[in-house]
Amino acid sequence: MHIDARTLENETIIEGDICIVGAGAAGISIALEFMNSPYKVILLEGGGFEYEERIQELYDGKTTGQPYYPIKSSELHYFGGTTGHWGGMCALFDPIAFQKRDWVDKSGWPITQETLLPYYERAHVYLEINVYEYNLEYWQKKDPSLVSIPFDKEWVWTKLWQFSKPTRFGTRYKETIVNAKNIHLYTYANMVDITSNENVSEIKTVTVKNYAGKTHRVSARYFVIACAGIQNARVLLAANKQAPKGIGNDNDLVGRYFMEHLELKSAELWVTQKSELKLYMNENPRVHGELAVMPKKQEEYQILNGIISFTALESKTPNYIKTWTNSDPRENLRSHPQPAYKALYHQVKDYFKSFNSDIKNNLHQAFQVTLRMEQAPNPLSRVTLSDEKDELGVPRASLNWSFTSMEKRSIRKNYEIIGQQAGASGFGRLKFLEELWDEKDDHVPSTTSGGWHHMGTTRMSDDPKNGVVDADCKVHGINNLFIAGSSCFTTGGGANPTFTLVALSIRLADHLKDIAIKK
Ligand SMILES: Cc1cc2nc3c(=O)[nH]c(=O)nc-3n(C[C@H](O)[C@H](O)[C@H](O)COP(=O)(O)OP(=O)(O)OC[C@H]3O[C@@H](n4cnc5c(N)ncnc54)[C@H](O)[C@@H]3O)c2cc1C
């Protein structure tokens, strides 16, 4: 069922069993899990079904620290959320991503990869990825031309990715959600405040507003906030009437530990024999391999988890941080140089194909190497509230993206290991950016991009002193408030977040069903 909240009488009271705030990958996944259940689900979405500048403007905010994309254009504010722009790259978080690592301060989720495996399988369905199989041998048996780079397996392994279509949740699931009898989707229902009982142990209502000047209240037994990585922190911090530091923020952790994946196109691999690297090149649509340093070596060298990918040097792409600068996300996507470069590369390739057998056979002498790496949890990397308010009266977000000394050292070591392996195996030589050579310099290059992955701002921990939510994504100290999305990640892993956050959301839906039945 769909209701446009602008058309309701002002100050309507909306009642349900479960209230989900935010209809993106996380919120829609949870709503789908509740379809045809005996529970009345209220799904609140701030925007409508299409992009609108006036709604997107509510996301505008400041950035300081390491250069970052404009906040306004790094997440999408309408039904379907940022899946309207995502690229669909999916991989499992490795077991080490969840583990407590002595060399990474504040690492260690209260859950393991094993806990999430059954939910990853279910997430495949929503993300429309065909075969739930991340074992390299399986794919190599099907296609023996997917050959791994012959590096020492004690040092380096090939991690597999698969691709969602990419599923645009806003179009793919619109009809299903709108037609579901027990799901009540309210569009133009921007949550602007959260009201609790007196001692802030239980949420009573959330307040929603829109440009039509309407204010409504929603009461429910359980509330799930699924507004995306930056906004989740923002809405909790802004709800500061009863809890002066913000809801769930008794220990001053909401918004802290903001994490991204650092993306650096910062090396070249020159190979001794021209190679196709079919397994590793983006052009293979179904599965795709990337190189990662083995967990034991990460431990030995005390480094962060990174993944290394290859593209043909001819199709060299500039750094996203230099090109994704418009505050309108659609403009960035339109003018994003990658497709243009790719098209150009293919035109050149097609032209030479007729008489150059190397190009015809996809053989290359040199590859651009990109490292995608987690960052170490850092309390100074954080989302706070700015003094400025948006048009609905909510303080805007301010993001300070910053690093510890581990990142630069880990970037260098990841490259050194791949370079040593390339040399030792006779496969080729790796040359990485001079800016990375100086061991005494902790600064990461200004060309460091992010993946638009916003993690850690409501991090998961058993101990309320170390995180905002518990292993069930419930806010510590509040009986009926849950958070969904990558803001719950304790550490960032090497892989893109959406697959993991959808798996985590399905797990949260199961948990909510369990506790709702018991009550
Ligand atoms: C260009 C680009 C490429 C990407 N590529 C990949 C990729 O290849 N792989 C990958 O894993 N990830 C990728 N991502 C990231 C991916 O899009 C996000 O991880 C994912 O969409 C996050 O899901 P979410 O539900 O937490 O947030 P969102 O999808 O952003 O959904 C949040 C929802 O909450 C709503 N909302 C926000 N505030 C309020 C409020 N106050 N009241 C009511 N509703 C509200 C929003 O309108 C939105 O619908 C990419 C992102 C971008 C921008």
Side-chain angles (χ1 to χ4, degrees), residues 21-27 44-47 59 73-83 85-90 189-192 226-229 231 235 324 333 451-453 484-486 496-499 501:
V21 188
L44 302 173
E45 169 51 50
Y59 270 6
S73 63
S74 66
E75 290 172 339
L76 287 177
H77 199 358
Y78 62 100
F79 184 74
T82 316
T83 65
H85 278 176
W86 81 310
M89 285 186 71
C90 295
N190 249 289
M191 184 179 80
V192 294
C227 296
Q231 305 302 320
V235 296
W324 192 280
L333 209 65
W452 306 275
H453 305 155
S486 49
N496 293 13
T498 310
F499 188 22
L501 77 84

Side-chain angles (χ1 to χ4, degrees), residues 8-127:
L8 295 173
E9 206 172 302
N10 195 27
E11 301 204 352
T12 297
I13 304 286
I14 301 162
E15 286 174 304
D17 295 307
I18 291 147
C19 171
I20 305 167
V21 188
I28 290 179
S29 299
I30 297 172
L32 290 172
E33 285 293 311
F34 272 96
M35 255 179 43
N36 304 321
S37 71
Y39 305 107
K40 181 178 174 188
V41 174
I42 309 293
L43 177 57
L44 302 173
E45 169 51 50
F49 289 117
E50 304 287 339
Y51 181 95
E52 280 169 57
E53 180 52 29
R54 201 169 169 197
I55 302 284
Q56 190 68 30
E57 215 279 323
L58 298 171
Y59 270 6
D60 202 10
K62 267 201 305 213
T63 57
T64 53
Q66 180 77 14
Y68 196 63
Y69 309 116
I71 296 186
K72 186 181 155 196
S73 63
S74 66
E75 290 172 339
L76 287 177
H77 199 358
Y78 62 100
F79 184 74
T82 316
T83 65
H85 278 176
W86 81 310
M89 285 186 71
C90 295
L92 301 170
F93 268 31
D94 306 329
I96 191 174
F98 299 90
Q99 286 159 11
K100 166 95 193 114
R101 289 165 279 167
D102 293 340
W103 65 99
V104 182
D105 191 29
K106 295 280 186 293
S107 62
W109 298 44
I111 59 172
T112 63
Q113 191 214 41
E114 220 175 2
T115 322
L116 268 196
L117 284 178
Y119 303 99
Y120 273 125
E121 186 164 6
R122 286 163 64 183
H124 247 225
V125 179
Y126 294 148
L127 296 170

